[in-house]
Amino acid sequence: MKSKSQLEIHISRCKPIKNSWFFVLLLYLLAHNPLYAQVKGEEKFSIKLKTREFVPEVGIKSETLSKLQHQIVAEKKYPHVMIQFTEIPTSYERELLVTSGIKLLNYIGNNTWYASISDSIAIHFQNTGITKKYPALNLVRSIEEIPVEDKISPQIREKGIGDWARTPDGKVNLVVSYFKDVDIDIVKTRLQTLGAKILGGVKVVNNLTITIEEQKITDIAAEDIIMWIEVVPPPGGPESNRIRAHVQADMAQNAPLNLTGNNVTVGVFEWNHILQNHADFSGRAVRKDATAYDPGHHPTMVAGIIGGNGSQSNANGGTANQWKGMAPGTNLYSYNANSGGTTADDYLDFSNDLETAIGTDNIDIANNSW
């Protein structure tokens, strides 16, 4: 017979084993619990928009089906919807989806896209006769309308529109994004019909800057061709200084990477221009926009973080190369968004500069810190 001390030792050694088996059993039961499986399934299909988080219902609502059917067949329109798949379609499957009338536009997460529907076949994805002929439709989990509320920035609905976006005549300046399969002239015409004044637009990012009465915002959002509405950005302002350690420049510049940014062009979009003759840029900083040259501290600081060579660190109280930038060999193109007008004018100036920078100046990277 074991002594008491031996028995205690034996029991104490067995406890972790018993507890381990209990823990494994608990995990097994949890993993096979229907409620747990349901929660995990919902996580997979949960959509996180700027306006809300939700799980789309499986299938398509009868009223949505009827509405889309009428728009496609009777009105000859290509309505925009939110479509979710059970799995991400492959390139081949996407081609098949096009043949069934589904054109994917903007990915919004968890197997879900904004899309346009050109054929009523697509909205009958739960019909086995149709899916037999168009097997790619078997991937469709849900089709939903895009509510007006999901097209309006929460800033507008919850915080209101700031003074910077209001005009002297009581209207507001907005940035309106439209779906990329819609012609910009169609969007302009529709917005003007609603009373908007078109201030400008940038095709490359599919948006227009407009002035309109605030109460018309909901009417704009109700238009099928409109994807998103937000106020024009507020005036730019300086940020805190950054330091070399913060951007972890040594990791990129030292072996084995040895990266310098050579042959890379960065567009620096700011509230002023980069000081072109700063010694840290050694002739690599160039003003590229049409705005009168107006160098400023903040864009120069940002450009230094990006591509300064650090040659002036010692002379300004630092150690050798203490303030060398992340990519000291990069070309720095400077663009000033300060138009001297309203914030809407500033945004248009920036948008036009961006389009020129991408289409004409061939920048590789765009930096915005204003």
Side-chain angles (χ1 to χ4, degrees), residues 90-324:
T90 64
S91 297
Y92 175 66
E93 288 167 338
R94 294 186 195 192
E95 292 177 5
L96 294 179
L97 288 170
V98 171
T99 65
S100 64
I102 297 175
K103 183 177 182 180
L104 303 183
L105 300 174
N106 301 82
Y107 184 65
I108 56 178
N110 281 2
N111 307 352
T112 308
W113 275 262
Y114 285 145
S116 60
I117 307 292
S118 60
D119 195 317
S120 60
I121 290 171
I123 59 177
H124 294 282
F125 62 94
Q126 293 178 299
N127 184 309
T128 54
I130 288 179
T131 54
K132 185 175 181 180
K133 186 176 181 180
Y134 299 92
L137 291 178
N138 284 309
L139 291 170
V140 179
R141 177 182 181 272
S142 170
I143 291 181
E144 292 196 4
E145 294 183 79
I146 306 171
V148 167
E149 294 77 13
D150 285 342
K151 296 183 177 185
I152 302 174
S153 168
Q155 179 184 5
I156 295 176
R157 294 189 292 105
E158 298 169 8
K159 298 180 180 179
I161 298 176
D163 292 339
W164 72 84
R166 296 187 179 277
T167 64
D169 60 354
K171 296 181 179 180
V172 294
N173 292 324
L174 305 171
V175 179
V176 178
S177 299
Y178 54 92
F179 288 105
K180 60 186 178 183
D181 63 334
V182 182
D183 185 87
I184 188 172
D185 291 328
I186 293 176
V187 182
K188 286 181 178 180
T189 299
R190 189 60 197 144
L191 290 174
Q192 288 169 335
T193 300
L194 291 172
K197 178 183 178 182
I198 309 297
L199 301 178
V202 185
K203 288 185 178 181
V204 70
V205 290
N206 304 112
N207 72 28
L208 291 166
T209 304
I210 68 170
T211 295
I212 197 168
E213 296 172 355
E214 185 173 354
Q215 60 267 30
K216 295 287 186 69
I217 292 177
T218 302
D219 295 336
I220 297 174
E223 292 292 322
D224 176 76
I225 57 179
I226 300 303
M227 185 174 71
W228 184 249
I229 303 170
E230 60 189 3
V231 297
V232 294
E239 295 181 359
S240 301
N241 287 330
R242 307 292 185 180
I243 56 175
R244 182 176 173 79
H246 180 76
V247 296
Q248 302 181 46
D250 287 337
M251 184 181 297
Q253 293 170 5
N254 295 342
L257 298 177
N258 299 314
L259 300 175
T260 65
N262 191 38
N263 294 323
V264 174
T265 300
V266 178
V268 180
F269 298 85
E270 279 281 350
W271 205 241
N272 298 98
H273 289 110
I274 302 170
L275 182 62
Q276 295 181 133
N277 62 358
H278 194 291
D280 266 16
F281 303 135
S282 57
R284 292 174 291 111
V286 182
R287 175 178 65 89
K288 296 294 287 186
D289 62 356
T291 306
Y293 180 56
D294 183 21
H297 292 292
H298 189 263
T300 304
M301 178 196 72
V302 171
I305 293 171
I306 296 170
N309 62 22
S311 63
Q312 301 302 298
S313 298
N314 265 334
N316 288 276
T319 59
N321 295 320
Q322 180 178 350
W323 294 305
K324 182 166 68 172

Side-chain angles (χ1 to χ4, degrees), residues 354-369:
L354 180 62
E355 191 164 37
T356 300
I358 296 171
T360 304
D361 299 338
N362 297 313
I363 64 169
D364 299 299
I365 300 170
N367 181 85
N368 299 271
S369 301

Side-chain angles (χ1 to χ4, degrees), residues 11-74:
I11 292 173
S12 66
R13 286 176 178 172
C14 289
K15 280 182 179 178
I17 298 175
K18 290 174 68 179
N19 290 340
S20 297
W21 278 109
F22 175 76
F23 182 68
V24 171
L25 178 61
L26 181 62
L27 286 178
Y28 176 83
L29 293 174
L30 181 62
H32 289 77
N33 185 294
L35 180 60
Y36 176 79
Q38 180 182 351
V39 171
K40 292 298 290 182
E42 289 183 352
E43 286 181 0
K44 178 180 179 181
F45 296 113
S46 179
I47 304 302
K48 297 179 180 179
L49 302 177
K50 293 180 180 179
T51 53
R52 61 183 173 128
E53 180 177 353
F54 69 105
V55 177
E57 293 184 19
V58 176
I60 182 171
K61 295 178 181 178
S62 58
E63 57 268 30
T64 301
L65 181 64
S66 298
K67 181 178 179 179
L68 294 177
Q69 179 80 17
H70 181 77
Q71 290 176 325
I72 297 167
V73 178

